[in-house]
């Protein structure tokens, strides 16, 4: 293989696949390589007896970006799945996100006015906090004592493996809050699961693109560099620079799958387990993402883990140390003018799928206009 491609794309995840699609549409050539045995990156699903198992964590597509919704719909149709997770705390089930159904179960209130009254009273105790210094302060200021103690504190400490007083406030700003009986987790106008699964979406994006799987860029860097005029790198940025400024930390996950000879285990795709004494954070029942009617079911328990090199890096840890390190890598990357860094691992950022596609298309357009 000695063809000179316009681009060598390292990573067949959503970023690499969207970038490849866009530049190919405009007549550029590319080769995509991935060290895994499959395309799709973390959106990959393994099909077992008709059920798509989200191998790297449950993925629900949602967006408020009209152009990105139009773009993905060129490649696949979406079903009408709406994410309405539940929280199990000490055997009681509560609706998420925090809404009138949650307040009704928690406090026995029926009207928004009653719920607001209780919430305001509980929040009042924390209004002296003007600039929350950590997640605990942010959560108490936003939600008051009951919601914090029932849904947030123990879950978050399990998820991140440390006290809520050691975590940055912004993590909790992701939790939506509303005073209607609406269990839709996301506020976005567009939502669903690709019909036929995420693998089909990625395969359609990569249609006509040369892809080499089980191929690690770092196994033969010089050779791969010689194959293309430019490189798009979507792997870990610290690894790219040989950990020159140190390792970036991640939170990892372990997934335990169970095949059950019953047709419905929990009646919902996602149930969070919010108390500390249950070691996993949630149980996913995959068939409900696609309204599966199989006589059997497959569930996955999600256990947060510390990350070791060689494991799976899932969530970036945005503390001071890592922010300083990523800044150094980003500054260095500017001098690599023929390498374009993109995607969640090269950016060291939590990007939802719509953000990932948006960033890939932005980069592709910039390249096409240069
Ligand atoms: P990835 O999917 O990680 O792809 C990168 C690819 O690069 C991988 O396939 C990897 O094998 C390859 N690679 C890395 N290094 C090398 C190398 N040296 N050589 C060759 N190949 C290499 N977003 C949502 O919108 N909705 C959700 O519900 C949602 N749920 C999520 C749940 C979890 C647990 C996590 C962690 C993320 C979730 N996301 C969700 C975010 C979503 O996963 C990302 O937006 C998306 O996967 C990012 O795509 P990517 O291509 O940047 O990265
Ligand atoms: N969270 C929580 N209780 C819950 C769900 C989430 O306290 O029942 C917190 C937790 O700190 C988590 C953050 O909110 O890290 C974001 O959770 P979300 O489920 O939105 O994101 P995901 O973990 O799926 O990326």
């Amino acid at each position: 293989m000695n063809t000179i491609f316009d681009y060598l794309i390292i990573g067949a995840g959503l970023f690499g696949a969207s970038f490849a699609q866009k530049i190919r549409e405009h007549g550029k050539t590319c080769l995509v390589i991935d060290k895994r045995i499959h395309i799709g990156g973390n959106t990959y699903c393994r099909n077992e007896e008709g059920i798509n198992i989200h191998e790297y964590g449950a993925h629900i597509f949602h967006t408020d970006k009209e152009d990105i919704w139009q773009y993905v719909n060129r490649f696949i149709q979406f079903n009408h799945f709406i994410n309405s997770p539940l929280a199990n705390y000490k055997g009681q089930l509560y609706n998420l996100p925090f809404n009138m159904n949650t307040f009704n179960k928690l406090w026995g209130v029926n009207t928004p006015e009653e719920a607001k009254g209780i919430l305001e009273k509980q929040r009042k105790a924390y209004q002296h906090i003007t600039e929350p210094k950590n997640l605990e302060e942010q959560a108490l200021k936003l939600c008051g004592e009951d919601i914090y103690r029932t849904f947030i504190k123990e879950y978050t400490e399990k998820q991140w493996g440390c006290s809520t007083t050691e975590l940055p406030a912004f993590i909790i700003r992701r939790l939506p809050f509303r005073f209607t009986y609406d269990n839709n987790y996301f506020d976005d106008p567009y939502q669903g699961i690709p019909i036929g699964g995420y693998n089909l979406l990625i395969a359609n994006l990569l249609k006509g693109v040369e892809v080499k799987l089980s191929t690690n860029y770092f196994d033969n860097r010089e050779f791969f560099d010689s194959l293309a005029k430019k490189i798009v790198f979507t792997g870990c940025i610290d690894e790219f620079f040989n950990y020159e400024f140190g390792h970036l930390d991640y939170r990892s996950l372990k997934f335990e799958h169970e095949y059950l000879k019953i047709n419905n285990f929990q009646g919902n795709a996602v149930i969070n387990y919010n108390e500390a004494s249950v070691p996993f954070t949630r149980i996913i029942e995959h068939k409900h993402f696609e309204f599966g009617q199989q006589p059997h079911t497959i569930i996955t328990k999600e256990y947060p883990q510390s990350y070791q090199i060689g494991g799976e890096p899932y969530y970036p840890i945005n503390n001071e140390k890592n922010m300083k390190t990523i800044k150094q890598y980003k500054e260095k990357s500017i001098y690599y003018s023929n390498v374009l860094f993109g995607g969640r691992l090269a950016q060291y950022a939590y990007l939802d799928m719509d953000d990932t596609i948006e960033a890939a298309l932005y980069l592709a357009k910039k390249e096409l206009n240069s």
Side-chain angles (χ1 to χ4, degrees), residues 151-152 155-156 159-160 174 185 272 274 282 315 350:
F151 302 111
I152 297 173
Y155 184 98
T156 299
Q159 171 79 353
W160 294 98
R174 277 170 59 86
Y185 197 64
N272 292 359
N274 293 57
R282 46 192 173 194
Y315 296 98
Y350 187 99

Side-chain angles (χ1 to χ4, degrees), residues 60-62 68-69 71-81 191-195 198 201 353 357:
I60 300 133
F61 193 91
H62 59 98
I68 301 302
W69 182 243
Y71 176 76
V72 286
N73 274 274
R74 279 176 54 194
F75 304 97
I76 201 127
Q77 283 187 313
F78 286 78
N79 71 14
H80 61 280
F81 177 80
Q191 185 173 172
I193 302 290
I195 295 173
Y198 285 96
L201 164 64
M353 288 183 278
I357 297 169

Side-chain angles (χ1 to χ4, degrees), residues 59-96:
H59 278 70
I60 300 133
F61 193 91
H62 59 98
T63 189
D64 62 353
K65 303 175 211 296
E66 176 76 38
D67 55 339
I68 301 302
W69 182 243
Q70 300 292 343
Y71 176 76
V72 286
N73 274 274
R74 279 176 54 194
F75 304 97
I76 201 127
Q77 283 187 313
F78 286 78
N79 71 14
H80 61 280
F81 177 80
I82 296 285
N83 192 29
S84 311
L86 294 160
N88 183 322
Y89 188 73
K90 303 197 170 160
Q92 292 297 308
L93 286 171
Y94 301 86
N95 289 104
L96 293 175

Side-chain angles (χ1 to χ4, degrees), residues 58 86-87 96 98 135 148 151-157 159-160 167 171-176 185-186 272-274 281-282 302 315 350 352:
L86 294 160
L96 293 175
F98 307 134
L135 192 147
Y148 175 64
F151 302 111
I152 297 173
K153 183 178 160 57
E154 294 168 55
Y155 184 98
T156 299
E157 291 184 345
Q159 171 79 353
W160 294 98
L167 286 165
I171 296 180
I172 219 67
R173 291 191 199 120
R174 277 170 59 86
L175 284 181
Y185 197 64
F186 300 115
N272 292 359
Y273 282 76
N274 293 57
T281 45
R282 46 192 173 194
E302 196 170 310
Y315 296 98
Y350 187 99
D352 275 330

Side-chain angles (χ1 to χ4, degrees), residues 227-247:
L227 291 181
K229 295 174 200 154
K230 278 193 173 179
I231 286 173
V232 175
F233 182 76
T234 76
C236 293
I237 192 166
D238 52 355
E239 191 177 8
F240 184 91
F241 289 113
N242 210 13
Y243 307 106
E244 183 180 337
F245 303 115
H247 292 272

Side-chain angles (χ1 to χ4, degrees), residues 1 4 8 216-228 231:
M1 186 170 35
I4 295 292
L8 168 73
N216 191 330
Y217 171 68
F218 296 116
D219 285 347
N220 202 344
R221 220 169 154 157
E222 247 177 69
F223 168 71
F224 289 119
D225 286 348
S226 73
L227 291 181
I231 286 173

